[in-house]
Amino acid sequence: QGFINTADDALLAAVQNTVIESGRYTEQHSKPMMGLIEEFNLAQGQRQLDIPKYNEFTATDVTAGSELTEGQDIAPSIVSATVGRIALKVIILDDLVDQYNEQVFQVAGRQAGDALGTKEDKDVIALFAGFSTELGADNKPLSLANANGCVAYAMSGDTDNDGRRFGNLNQVFSVHHPNAIANLSSSLAVTAATYPVPSIKNWELLEDYWSGFNISRVQFFEDGNISKISGTDSSYGAIFSRQALAVLKGQARKPERHRLPALFATEIIWSERYGVFEVDDSKGAKTRYESGALSTS
């Protein structure tokens, strides 16, 4: 049985594309965490991805003519990652299309994109609490001295002979609540110089969240999706290597359009399949600092 479409097909297609493209743009630029971790992809037919992690090797001095007896144990451990699905639906009534205003549909797209980006971002933030090492404490501000201490831990760990615990500092990031980052900013004796962001990061996606300074090449980012710990004014951020956390993508974000004739409307459904997980606990630490509102007077 046929139905009456009160909206011009070409106009309806334009509206849908406006919503989809605005959603895609906003989701990509919405939150910083996905741009700071490693990305893996499921191959066709795969159900999960198994990532081996190997022990570090140690070279030793030898004497000519003497047998090398000390062997290295590979002893790999396996990190298994799977994916889940997230989705979001927007329904556009023909009546709204008939009153076509492109800005209205851009707003709908931005809301959809923001929701997708927020979901992805919060999923990664939830991994912070899983790091075994905790730096900072409740009632402690993220001061310059404390931030330096966190960076020093990333560089050398608890002992002087631990080497660069987190590896190359160009791939180490610190992320925290905006109020914690504001405390750090205010504790600087002078305005931090603007350093170029290393090319390993996508500047266009992350520039809105980079705080404009670094400590020993560790970039500091703020993320408003970090929540305070219940009953306190502190929250968990993290300092971590890019290799500490990862996202496994099973299906790229895909928009689908469906006509709803009984409702005189069209629905657009976004869906994607991904999973976020910890790869290496030794290359990250949760950082607990005060995130309460700053004085404005």
Side-chain angles (χ1 to χ4, degrees):
Q1 182 176 352
F3 60 88
I4 298 175
N5 184 357
T6 62
D8 176 80
D9 288 339
L11 182 57
L12 187 57
V15 166
Q16 293 168 351
N17 288 334
T18 298
V19 174
I20 291 170
E21 292 302 319
S22 296
R24 178 180 292 112
Y25 179 87
T26 304
E27 189 269 340
Q28 288 177 335
H29 291 254
S30 184
K31 307 295 180 287
M33 288 309 308
M34 282 294 189
L36 301 177
I37 63 177
E38 285 215 274
E39 179 179 319
F40 297 93
N41 292 280
L42 276 181
Q44 183 68 33
Q46 279 188 316
R47 184 182 62 85
Q48 70 178 37
L49 182 67
D50 294 331
I51 304 171
K53 176 189 169 186
Y54 300 98
N55 287 337
E56 293 184 355
F57 293 166
T58 303
T60 59
D61 295 322
V62 294
T63 303
S66 299
E67 181 181 358
L68 180 61
T69 59
E70 183 177 343
Q72 302 295 321
D73 184 10
I74 295 179
S77 57
I78 301 296
V79 176
S80 295
T82 57
V83 299
R85 183 181 298 278
I86 67 169
L88 182 146
K89 179 170 66 176
V90 174
I91 296 178
I92 301 174
L93 296 175
D94 288 351
D95 291 356
L96 183 60
V97 177
D98 291 339
Q99 305 164 31
Y100 182 63
N101 181 333
E102 186 174 5
Q103 289 182 324
V104 172
F105 301 106
Q106 288 175 340
V107 170
R110 287 199 301 269
Q111 287 180 300
D114 189 62
L116 292 167
T118 296
K119 170 62 176 170
E120 295 170 346
D121 204 61
K122 286 184 174 181
D123 285 349
V124 181
I125 289 170
L127 298 176
F128 291 173
F131 284 129
S132 300
T133 300
E134 179 174 337
L135 307 176
D138 189 25
N139 293 319
K140 297 294 183 180
L142 182 57
S143 63
L144 180 57
N146 287 335
N148 259 318
C150 292
V151 172
Y153 179 85
M155 293 173 66
S156 62
D158 293 323
T159 61
D160 294 334
N161 63 354
D162 200 23
R164 285 190 170 173
R165 176 183 288 267
F166 290 2
N168 186 345
L169 292 187
N170 278 338
Q171 298 193 44
V172 175
F173 313 113
S174 181
V175 180
H176 221 296
H177 190 285
N179 288 341
I181 294 295
N183 280 325
L184 174 57
S185 180
S186 65
S187 76
L188 297 175
V190 295
T191 302
T194 300
Y195 295 90
V197 176
S199 59
I200 57 171
K201 297 204 293 296
N202 188 325
W203 172 251
E204 291 183 354
L205 298 184
L206 298 174
E207 61 179 333
D208 290 341
Y209 306 96
W210 184 49
S211 303
F213 56 88
N214 64 43
I215 298 175
S216 298
R217 290 176 287 126
V218 173
Q219 306 293 320
F220 282 75
F221 292 82
E222 66 269 7
D223 193 325
N225 285 317
I226 294 176
S227 300
K228 291 192 292 186
I229 299 169
S230 179
T232 75
D233 262 344
S234 60
S235 58
Y236 282 128
I239 183 168
F240 56 94
S241 163
R242 183 184 292 275
Q243 286 75 42
L245 305 173
V247 55
L248 175 62
K249 295 192 173 181
Q251 173 206 303
R253 185 184 57 258
K254 179 175 65 174
E256 296 179 276
R257 308 173 181 88
H258 302 280
R259 184 67 185 157
L260 303 174
L263 297 179
F264 298 99
T266 299
E267 69 176 11
I268 304 175
I269 297 176
W270 284 269
S271 68
E272 59 182 299
R273 293 174 62 236
Y274 70 89
V276 296
F277 57 99
E278 180 183 283
V279 179
D280 191 341
D281 184 68
S282 69
K283 293 188 179 298
K286 51 180 175 278
T287 56
R288 184 173 184 176
Y289 290 107
E290 287 300 287
S291 303
L294 277 67
S295 173
T296 59
S297 62

